[in-house]
Structures are given as C-alpha cells and as structure tokens.
Amino acid sequence: MTISIRPALPADVRAINALVEPMTHTGILLGKDLVSYYEAVQEFLVAVDDSGEVVGCGALHVMWEDLAEVRTLAVHDSQRSTGLGHRMLVALLERATQLGLSRVFCLTFEVEFFARHGFEVMAEVVEPEIYNQLLRSPDEGIAEFLDLARVKPNTLGNTRMIWTLPSGD
C-alpha cells in the first residue's frame, strides 16, 4: 500500500475529525469543533492511502515571523509504527522551512518521538515586545506556548518542546 502526503482539502475535514476524535477521549489531543478544522484546513497536511482514506494528519500553525506550532499530528491505529508519523512531521518541518520559519513549537505527551526529530524541552522565553504581542492573540496554542495559567488544565502532563532550524540550512 502506498501512502501519499498532500495539503488537506475542505473535503478532508470530516476524515481529519474522525481520525482525531478518538484521541480526544484519552486526552492525547484536544477536541475541536468542525468549524475550527474548516477555518484551519490550509494549515493541514493529510496522509492518504491507495483507497483515498485519510490515515494521518498534521498542521503547522504560524504564530510569529519566525515561529510556528505543530498541531494535531495523528496517524490511524493501522499506521502506528510504520514511520508515517515521522514522514508527517518531516513534511511539516519542511513546510516551516519553506515559509522561512526558524523555530517550531509543540505541546506533547510524545516527548521521545519529538526528541528524535531534534525537538528539545523548551526553556526559552520570547523577548518582552513579542510576548506582549502574543498575549493579544485569542489562540489557545499561543497561550500554551507562553505557558499561561489559564490553559494549565489543557496542558497537564504535556511537555512544551521547540525545534530550531539547524544552522547552515
């Protein structure tokens, strides 16, 4: 079976939701309304098998001029341990590089997976001017990046990690 990765289409949104929804029950991913997926469809990549079924997804959400977040990275149970998660993440990091971004954030329980891809536990803080700008955003992912108290219930047990474009690229 061949799996291809491509930009998501609005027609893929219900399949993305169906893929992610079971993971929201275990707390691995946060649930979203369908409208949120439609609004962000241009941020998503999907992995599609030969029959056209969506078996993986992931999004890259731009947060600042040099910073984005990997969101909603998920693969179907049938694709676990096949390398598809790796392929999806690499494609999202390539997209970040194409956009001229040098840092990618994630909030995850899968620390080892992201560490294998060069992510490190986040200790950095952004400059005060950028912090004040980011505070104005209603986006929950930015609140998680800033480690704001109001999102603590959503982030319990998760690790904030950051990937920095290797120098020379």
PDB file of all heavy atoms in Angstrom, residues 112-143:
ATOM      1  N   GLU A 112       9.658  11.519  23.464  1.00  0.00           N
ATOM      2  CA  GLU A 112      10.711  10.763  22.787  1.00  0.00           C
ATOM      3  C   GLU A 112      10.602  10.888  21.267  1.00  0.00           C
ATOM      4  O   GLU A 112      11.618  11.039  20.577  1.00  0.00           O
ATOM      5  CB  GLU A 112      10.678   9.297  23.197  1.00  0.00           C
ATOM      6  CG  GLU A 112      11.134   9.067  24.629  1.00  0.00           C
ATOM      7  CD  GLU A 112      11.121   7.597  25.027  1.00  0.00           C
ATOM      8  OE1 GLU A 112      11.263   6.731  24.137  1.00  0.00           O
ATOM      9  OE2 GLU A 112      10.964   7.327  26.225  1.00  0.00           O
ATOM     10  N   PHE A 113       9.377  10.819  20.748  1.00  0.00           N
ATOM     11  CA  PHE A 113       9.168  10.945  19.301  1.00  0.00           C
ATOM     12  C   PHE A 113       9.694  12.292  18.811  1.00  0.00           C
ATOM     13  O   PHE A 113      10.471  12.355  17.852  1.00  0.00           O
ATOM     14  CB  PHE A 113       7.675  10.799  18.965  1.00  0.00           C
ATOM     15  CG  PHE A 113       7.341  11.124  17.541  1.00  0.00           C
ATOM     16  CD1 PHE A 113       7.563  10.202  16.532  1.00  0.00           C
ATOM     17  CD2 PHE A 113       6.788  12.360  17.209  1.00  0.00           C
ATOM     18  CE1 PHE A 113       7.256  10.504  15.209  1.00  0.00           C
ATOM     19  CE2 PHE A 113       6.480  12.665  15.890  1.00  0.00           C
ATOM     20  CZ  PHE A 113       6.716  11.737  14.886  1.00  0.00           C
ATOM     21  N   PHE A 114       9.288  13.369  19.465  1.00  0.00           N
ATOM     22  CA  PHE A 114       9.718  14.690  19.012  1.00  0.00           C
ATOM     23  C   PHE A 114      11.214  14.904  19.261  1.00  0.00           C
ATOM     24  O   PHE A 114      11.888  15.536  18.443  1.00  0.00           O
ATOM     25  CB  PHE A 114       8.866  15.783  19.668  1.00  0.00           C
ATOM     26  CG  PHE A 114       7.520  15.933  19.010  1.00  0.00           C
ATOM     27  CD1 PHE A 114       6.407  15.279  19.517  1.00  0.00           C
ATOM     28  CD2 PHE A 114       7.360  16.714  17.877  1.00  0.00           C
ATOM     29  CE1 PHE A 114       5.164  15.395  18.904  1.00  0.00           C
ATOM     30  CE2 PHE A 114       6.129  16.839  17.251  1.00  0.00           C
ATOM     31  CZ  PHE A 114       5.024  16.178  17.766  1.00  0.00           C
ATOM     32  N   ALA A 115      11.753  14.363  20.350  1.00  0.00           N
ATOM     33  CA  ALA A 115      13.188  14.487  20.622  1.00  0.00           C
ATOM     34  C   ALA A 115      14.004  13.824  19.518  1.00  0.00           C
ATOM     35  O   ALA A 115      15.057  14.343  19.126  1.00  0.00           O
ATOM     36  CB  ALA A 115      13.518  13.885  21.984  1.00  0.00           C
ATOM     37  N   ARG A 116      13.526  12.698  18.988  1.00  0.00           N
ATOM     38  CA  ARG A 116      14.235  12.022  17.879  1.00  0.00           C
ATOM     39  C   ARG A 116      14.294  12.901  16.633  1.00  0.00           C
ATOM     40  O   ARG A 116      15.110  12.669  15.751  1.00  0.00           O
ATOM     41  CB  ARG A 116      13.560  10.690  17.537  1.00  0.00           C
ATOM     42  CG  ARG A 116      13.824   9.591  18.534  1.00  0.00           C
ATOM     43  CD  ARG A 116      13.431   8.209  18.012  1.00  0.00           C
ATOM     44  NE  ARG A 116      12.085   8.111  17.477  1.00  0.00           N
ATOM     45  CZ  ARG A 116      11.002   7.740  18.180  1.00  0.00           C
ATOM     46  NH1 ARG A 116      11.118   7.434  19.460  1.00  0.00           N
ATOM     47  NH2 ARG A 116       9.829   7.668  17.607  1.00  0.00           N
ATOM     48  N   HIS A 117      13.414  13.888  16.565  1.00  0.00           N
ATOM     49  CA  HIS A 117      13.380  14.783  15.404  1.00  0.00           C
ATOM     50  C   HIS A 117      14.018  16.139  15.695  1.00  0.00           C
ATOM     51  O   HIS A 117      13.819  17.099  14.944  1.00  0.00           O
ATOM     52  CB  HIS A 117      11.929  14.953  14.933  1.00  0.00           C
ATOM     53  CG  HIS A 117      11.371  13.689  14.374  1.00  0.00           C
ATOM     54  ND1 HIS A 117      10.777  12.723  15.157  1.00  0.00           N
ATOM     55  CD2 HIS A 117      11.357  13.200  13.111  1.00  0.00           C
ATOM     56  CE1 HIS A 117      10.408  11.716  14.400  1.00  0.00           C
ATOM     57  NE2 HIS A 117      10.753  11.970  13.156  1.00  0.00           N
ATOM     58  N   GLY A 118      14.769  16.222  16.786  1.00  0.00           N
ATOM     59  CA  GLY A 118      15.511  17.440  17.088  1.00  0.00           C
ATOM     60  C   GLY A 118      14.797  18.445  17.978  1.00  0.00           C
ATOM     61  O   GLY A 118      15.316  19.527  18.232  1.00  0.00           O
ATOM     62  N   PHE A 119      13.614  18.097  18.470  1.00  0.00           N
ATOM     63  CA  PHE A 119      12.928  18.985  19.402  1.00  0.00           C
ATOM     64  C   PHE A 119      13.578  18.846  20.773  1.00  0.00           C
ATOM     65  O   PHE A 119      14.025  17.763  21.154  1.00  0.00           O
ATOM     66  CB  PHE A 119      11.442  18.617  19.519  1.00  0.00           C
ATOM     67  CG  PHE A 119      10.593  19.093  18.374  1.00  0.00           C
ATOM     68  CD1 PHE A 119      10.660  18.476  17.134  1.00  0.00           C
ATOM     69  CD2 PHE A 119       9.711  20.152  18.540  1.00  0.00           C
ATOM     70  CE1 PHE A 119       9.869  18.905  16.075  1.00  0.00           C
ATOM     71  CE2 PHE A 119       8.918  20.581  17.497  1.00  0.00           C
ATOM     72  CZ  PHE A 119       8.994  19.960  16.256  1.00  0.00           C
ATOM     73  N   GLU A 120      13.615  19.954  21.501  1.00  0.00           N
ATOM     74  CA  GLU A 120      14.159  19.961  22.856  1.00  0.00           C
ATOM     75  C   GLU A 120      13.113  20.521  23.797  1.00  0.00           C
ATOM     76  O   GLU A 120      12.290  21.352  23.395  1.00  0.00           O
ATOM     77  CB  GLU A 120      15.414  20.823  22.912  1.00  0.00           C
ATOM     78  CG  GLU A 120      16.539  20.291  22.035  1.00  0.00           C
ATOM     79  CD  GLU A 120      17.760  21.191  22.021  1.00  0.00           C
ATOM     80  OE1 GLU A 120      17.675  22.345  22.503  1.00  0.00           O
ATOM     81  OE2 GLU A 120      18.801  20.731  21.529  1.00  0.00           O
ATOM     82  N   VAL A 121      13.184  20.079  25.054  1.00  0.00           N
ATOM     83  CA  VAL A 121      12.275  20.634  26.057  1.00  0.00           C
ATOM     84  C   VAL A 121      12.514  22.132  26.101  1.00  0.00           C
ATOM     85  O   VAL A 121      13.651  22.594  26.118  1.00  0.00           O
ATOM     86  CB  VAL A 121      12.504  19.975  27.432  1.00  0.00           C
ATOM     87  CG1 VAL A 121      11.667  20.659  28.501  1.00  0.00           C
ATOM     88  CG2 VAL A 121      12.172  18.490  27.358  1.00  0.00           C
ATOM     89  N   MET A 122      11.439  22.864  26.091  1.00  0.00           N
ATOM     90  CA  MET A 122      11.507  24.312  25.956  1.00  0.00           C
ATOM     91  C   MET A 122      11.846  24.990  27.273  1.00  0.00           C
ATOM     92  O   MET A 122      11.199  24.750  28.280  1.00  0.00           O
ATOM     93  CB  MET A 122      10.165  24.827  25.441  1.00  0.00           C
ATOM     94  CG  MET A 122      10.258  26.145  24.775  1.00  0.00           C
ATOM     95  SD  MET A 122       8.706  26.476  23.971  1.00  0.00           S
ATOM     96  CE  MET A 122       8.295  27.969  24.822  1.00  0.00           C
ATOM     97  N   ALA A 123      12.863  25.840  27.242  1.00  0.00           N
ATOM     98  CA  ALA A 123      13.233  26.621  28.406  1.00  0.00           C
ATOM     99  C   ALA A 123      13.267  28.106  28.060  1.00  0.00           C
ATOM    100  O   ALA A 123      13.312  28.946  28.938  1.00  0.00           O
ATOM    101  CB  ALA A 123      14.594  26.175  28.928  1.00  0.00           C
ATOM    102  N   GLU A 124      13.220  28.406  26.769  1.00  0.00           N
ATOM    103  CA  GLU A 124      13.375  29.788  26.343  1.00  0.00           C
ATOM    104  C   GLU A 124      12.118  30.615  26.574  1.00  0.00           C
ATOM    105  O   GLU A 124      11.019  30.093  26.655  1.00  0.00           O
ATOM    106  CB  GLU A 124      13.761  29.856  24.876  1.00  0.00           C
ATOM    107  CG  GLU A 124      12.630  29.473  23.937  1.00  0.00           C
ATOM    108  CD  GLU A 124      13.022  29.590  22.490  1.00  0.00           C
ATOM    109  OE1 GLU A 124      13.952  28.896  22.085  1.00  0.00           O
ATOM    110  OE2 GLU A 124      12.385  30.381  21.786  1.00  0.00           O
ATOM    111  N   VAL A 125      12.331  31.873  26.711  1.00  0.00           N
ATOM    112  CA  VAL A 125      11.234  32.820  26.776  1.00  0.00           C
ATOM    113  C   VAL A 125      11.431  33.790  25.623  1.00  0.00           C
ATOM    114  O   VAL A 125      12.543  34.020  25.205  1.00  0.00           O
ATOM    115  CB  VAL A 125      11.245  33.622  28.102  1.00  0.00           C
ATOM    116  CG1 VAL A 125      10.064  33.301  28.957  1.00  0.00           C
ATOM    117  CG2 VAL A 125      12.508  33.495  28.849  1.00  0.00           C
ATOM    118  N   VAL A 126      10.350  34.315  25.103  1.00  0.00           N
ATOM    119  CA  VAL A 126      10.479  35.270  24.000  1.00  0.00           C
ATOM    120  C   VAL A 126      10.740  36.663  24.561  1.00  0.00           C
ATOM    121  O   VAL A 126      10.482  36.935  25.730  1.00  0.00           O
ATOM    122  CB  VAL A 126       9.218  35.265  23.102  1.00  0.00           C
ATOM    123  CG1 VAL A 126       9.060  33.940  22.403  1.00  0.00           C
ATOM    124  CG2 VAL A 126       7.978  35.619  23.877  1.00  0.00           C
ATOM    125  N   GLU A 127      11.215  37.516  23.702  1.00  0.00           N
ATOM    126  CA  GLU A 127      11.506  38.886  24.091  1.00  0.00           C
ATOM    127  C   GLU A 127      10.222  39.559  24.592  1.00  0.00           C
ATOM    128  O   GLU A 127       9.128  39.260  24.103  1.00  0.00           O
ATOM    129  CB  GLU A 127      12.072  39.672  22.901  1.00  0.00           C
ATOM    130  CG  GLU A 127      13.387  39.128  22.360  1.00  0.00           C
ATOM    131  CD  GLU A 127      13.190  37.919  21.448  1.00  0.00           C
ATOM    132  OE1 GLU A 127      12.092  37.729  20.890  1.00  0.00           O
ATOM    133  OE2 GLU A 127      14.140  37.140  21.319  1.00  0.00           O
ATOM    134  N   PRO A 128      10.340  40.498  25.542  1.00  0.00           N
ATOM    135  CA  PRO A 128       9.143  41.153  26.112  1.00  0.00           C
ATOM    136  C   PRO A 128       8.215  41.769  25.068  1.00  0.00           C
ATOM    137  O   PRO A 128       6.999  41.664  25.182  1.00  0.00           O
ATOM    138  CB  PRO A 128       9.731  42.222  27.037  1.00  0.00           C
ATOM    139  CG  PRO A 128      11.073  41.695  27.416  1.00  0.00           C
ATOM    140  CD  PRO A 128      11.563  40.929  26.206  1.00  0.00           C
ATOM    141  N   GLU A 129       8.763  42.380  24.021  1.00  0.00           N
ATOM    142  CA  GLU A 129       7.929  43.006  22.990  1.00  0.00           C
ATOM    143  C   GLU A 129       7.083  41.952  22.262  1.00  0.00           C
ATOM    144  O   GLU A 129       5.891  42.139  22.052  1.00  0.00           O
ATOM    145  CB  GLU A 129       8.800  43.758  21.982  1.00  0.00           C
ATOM    146  CG  GLU A 129       8.020  44.395  20.856  1.00  0.00           C
ATOM    147  CD  GLU A 129       8.931  45.039  19.833  1.00  0.00           C
ATOM    148  OE1 GLU A 129       9.997  45.568  20.209  1.00  0.00           O
ATOM    149  OE2 GLU A 129       8.561  45.008  18.648  1.00  0.00           O
ATOM    150  N   ILE A 130       7.706  40.834  21.914  1.00  0.00           N
ATOM    151  CA  ILE A 130       6.980  39.755  21.232  1.00  0.00           C
ATOM    152  C   ILE A 130       5.973  39.124  22.187  1.00  0.00           C
ATOM    153  O   ILE A 130       4.834  38.839  21.810  1.00  0.00           O
ATOM    154  CB  ILE A 130       7.964  38.705  20.673  1.00  0.00           C
ATOM    155  CG1 ILE A 130       8.838  39.344  19.590  1.00  0.00           C
ATOM    156  CG2 ILE A 130       7.214  37.495  20.119  1.00  0.00           C
ATOM    157  CD1 ILE A 130       9.981  38.472  19.120  1.00  0.00           C
ATOM    158  N   TYR A 131       6.380  38.916  23.431  1.00  0.00           N
ATOM    159  CA  TYR A 131       5.480  38.341  24.439  1.00  0.00           C
ATOM    160  C   TYR A 131       4.208  39.176  24.541  1.00  0.00           C
ATOM    161  O   TYR A 131       3.104  38.651  24.521  1.00  0.00           O
ATOM    162  CB  TYR A 131       6.200  38.283  25.794  1.00  0.00           C
ATOM    163  CG  TYR A 131       5.396  37.645  26.894  1.00  0.00           C
ATOM    164  CD1 TYR A 131       5.472  36.281  27.120  1.00  0.00           C
ATOM    165  CD2 TYR A 131       4.558  38.401  27.708  1.00  0.00           C
ATOM    166  CE1 TYR A 131       4.737  35.673  28.132  1.00  0.00           C
ATOM    167  CE2 TYR A 131       3.820  37.802  28.720  1.00  0.00           C
ATOM    168  CZ  TYR A 131       3.915  36.447  28.929  1.00  0.00           C
ATOM    169  OH  TYR A 131       3.184  35.860  29.925  1.00  0.00           O
ATOM    170  N   ASN A 132       4.364  40.486  24.614  1.00  0.00           N
ATOM    171  CA  ASN A 132       3.195  41.378  24.717  1.00  0.00           C
ATOM    172  C   ASN A 132       2.317  41.307  23.480  1.00  0.00           C
ATOM    173  O   ASN A 132       1.087  41.389  23.577  1.00  0.00           O
ATOM    174  CB  ASN A 132       3.633  42.816  24.994  1.00  0.00           C
ATOM    175  CG  ASN A 132       4.142  42.988  26.403  1.00  0.00           C
ATOM    176  OD1 ASN A 132       3.700  42.306  27.322  1.00  0.00           O
ATOM    177  ND2 ASN A 132       5.100  43.894  26.580  1.00  0.00           N
ATOM    178  N   GLN A 133       2.902  41.134  22.315  1.00  0.00           N
ATOM    179  CA  GLN A 133       2.116  40.975  21.091  1.00  0.00           C
ATOM    180  C   GLN A 133       1.362  39.642  21.109  1.00  0.00           C
ATOM    181  O   GLN A 133       0.184  39.581  20.787  1.00  0.00           O
ATOM    182  CB  GLN A 133       3.016  41.053  19.859  1.00  0.00           C
ATOM    183  CG  GLN A 133       3.550  42.433  19.567  1.00  0.00           C
ATOM    184  CD  GLN A 133       2.462  43.385  19.116  1.00  0.00           C
ATOM    185  OE1 GLN A 133       1.553  43.018  18.380  1.00  0.00           O
ATOM    186  NE2 GLN A 133       2.535  44.612  19.591  1.00  0.00           N
ATOM    187  N   LEU A 134       2.065  38.583  21.484  1.00  0.00           N
ATOM    188  CA  LEU A 134       1.449  37.262  21.512  1.00  0.00           C
ATOM    189  C   LEU A 134       0.320  37.183  22.528  1.00  0.00           C
ATOM    190  O   LEU A 134      -0.664  36.460  22.323  1.00  0.00           O
ATOM    191  CB  LEU A 134       2.497  36.181  21.804  1.00  0.00           C
ATOM    192  CG  LEU A 134       3.533  35.945  20.697  1.00  0.00           C
ATOM    193  CD1 LEU A 134       4.595  34.959  21.169  1.00  0.00           C
ATOM    194  CD2 LEU A 134       2.891  35.473  19.419  1.00  0.00           C
ATOM    195  N   LEU A 135       0.430  37.921  23.617  1.00  0.00           N
ATOM    196  CA  LEU A 135      -0.633  37.935  24.632  1.00  0.00           C
ATOM    197  C   LEU A 135      -1.965  38.405  24.054  1.00  0.00           C
ATOM    198  O   LEU A 135      -3.022  38.059  24.564  1.00  0.00           O
ATOM    199  CB  LEU A 135      -0.258  38.864  25.789  1.00  0.00           C
ATOM    200  CG  LEU A 135       0.588  38.290  26.903  1.00  0.00           C
ATOM    201  CD1 LEU A 135       0.915  39.365  27.922  1.00  0.00           C
ATOM    202  CD2 LEU A 135      -0.073  37.096  27.559  1.00  0.00           C
ATOM    203  N   ARG A 136      -1.929  39.165  22.985  1.00  0.00           N
ATOM    204  CA  ARG A 136      -3.148  39.710  22.369  1.00  0.00           C
ATOM    205  C   ARG A 136      -3.912  38.679  21.542  1.00  0.00           C
ATOM    206  O   ARG A 136      -5.050  38.907  21.165  1.00  0.00           O
ATOM    207  CB  ARG A 136      -2.800  40.905  21.492  1.00  0.00           C
ATOM    208  CG  ARG A 136      -2.207  42.048  22.284  1.00  0.00           C
ATOM    209  CD  ARG A 136      -1.760  43.167  21.392  1.00  0.00           C
ATOM    210  NE  ARG A 136      -1.157  44.207  22.215  1.00  0.00           N
ATOM    211  CZ  ARG A 136      -0.498  45.226  21.735  1.00  0.00           C
ATOM    212  NH1 ARG A 136      -0.356  45.353  20.430  1.00  0.00           N
ATOM    213  NH2 ARG A 136       0.009  46.121  22.535  1.00  0.00           N
ATOM    214  N   SER A 137      -3.281  37.571  21.268  1.00  0.00           N
ATOM    215  CA  SER A 137      -3.915  36.560  20.427  1.00  0.00           C
ATOM    216  C   SER A 137      -4.931  35.754  21.229  1.00  0.00           C
ATOM    217  O   SER A 137      -4.647  35.326  22.345  1.00  0.00           O
ATOM    218  CB  SER A 137      -2.865  35.604  19.870  1.00  0.00           C
ATOM    219  OG  SER A 137      -3.496  34.546  19.183  1.00  0.00           O
ATOM    220  N   PRO A 138      -6.107  35.491  20.626  1.00  0.00           N
ATOM    221  CA  PRO A 138      -7.088  34.627  21.291  1.00  0.00           C
ATOM    222  C   PRO A 138      -6.781  33.135  21.103  1.00  0.00           C
ATOM    223  O   PRO A 138      -7.465  32.288  21.658  1.00  0.00           O
ATOM    224  CB  PRO A 138      -8.403  34.998  20.592  1.00  0.00           C
ATOM    225  CG  PRO A 138      -7.972  35.394  19.218  1.00  0.00           C
ATOM    226  CD  PRO A 138      -6.626  36.073  19.390  1.00  0.00           C
ATOM    227  N   ASP A 139      -5.735  32.822  20.351  1.00  0.00           N
ATOM    228  CA  ASP A 139      -5.402  31.436  20.014  1.00  0.00           C
ATOM    229  C   ASP A 139      -4.882  30.687  21.239  1.00  0.00           C
ATOM    230  O   ASP A 139      -3.947  31.133  21.911  1.00  0.00           O
ATOM    231  CB  ASP A 139      -4.343  31.433  18.910  1.00  0.00           C
ATOM    232  CG  ASP A 139      -4.051  30.052  18.407  1.00  0.00           C
ATOM    233  OD1 ASP A 139      -4.741  29.629  17.474  1.00  0.00           O
ATOM    234  OD2 ASP A 139      -3.146  29.393  18.961  1.00  0.00           O
ATOM    235  N   GLU A 140      -5.495  29.538  21.527  1.00  0.00           N
ATOM    236  CA  GLU A 140      -5.105  28.729  22.690  1.00  0.00           C
ATOM    237  C   GLU A 140      -3.688  28.168  22.546  1.00  0.00           C
ATOM    238  O   GLU A 140      -2.995  27.994  23.547  1.00  0.00           O
ATOM    239  CB  GLU A 140      -6.102  27.590  22.912  1.00  0.00           C
ATOM    240  CG  GLU A 140      -7.455  28.080  23.394  1.00  0.00           C
ATOM    241  CD  GLU A 140      -7.404  28.788  24.745  1.00  0.00           C
ATOM    242  OE1 GLU A 140      -6.989  28.176  25.737  1.00  0.00           O
ATOM    243  OE2 GLU A 140      -7.780  29.977  24.789  1.00  0.00           O
ATOM    244  N   GLY A 141      -3.263  27.882  21.328  1.00  0.00           N
ATOM    245  CA  GLY A 141      -1.907  27.372  21.124  1.00  0.00           C
ATOM    246  C   GLY A 141      -0.852  28.380  21.531  1.00  0.00           C
ATOM    247  O   GLY A 141       0.190  28.021  22.077  1.00  0.00           O
ATOM    248  N   ILE A 142      -1.123  29.643  21.278  1.00  0.00           N
ATOM    249  CA  ILE A 142      -0.180  30.680  21.696  1.00  0.00           C
ATOM    250  C   ILE A 142      -0.169  30.786  23.213  1.00  0.00           C
ATOM    251  O   ILE A 142       0.882  30.930  23.837  1.00  0.00           O
ATOM    252  CB  ILE A 142      -0.504  32.021  21.010  1.00  0.00           C
ATOM    253  CG1 ILE A 142      -0.158  31.894  19.514  1.00  0.00           C
ATOM    254  CG2 ILE A 142       0.247  33.170  21.658  1.00  0.00           C
ATOM    255  CD1 ILE A 142      -0.458  33.085  18.668  1.00  0.00           C
ATOM    256  N   ALA A 143      -1.340  30.676  23.835  1.00  0.00           N
ATOM    257  CA  ALA A 143      -1.401  30.688  25.301  1.00  0.00           C
ATOM    258  C   ALA A 143      -0.606  29.520  25.871  1.00  0.00           C
ATOM    259  O   ALA A 143       0.079  29.653  26.895  1.00  0.00           O
ATOM    260  CB  ALA A 143      -2.852  30.649  25.769  1.00  0.00           C
TER     261      ALA A 143
END
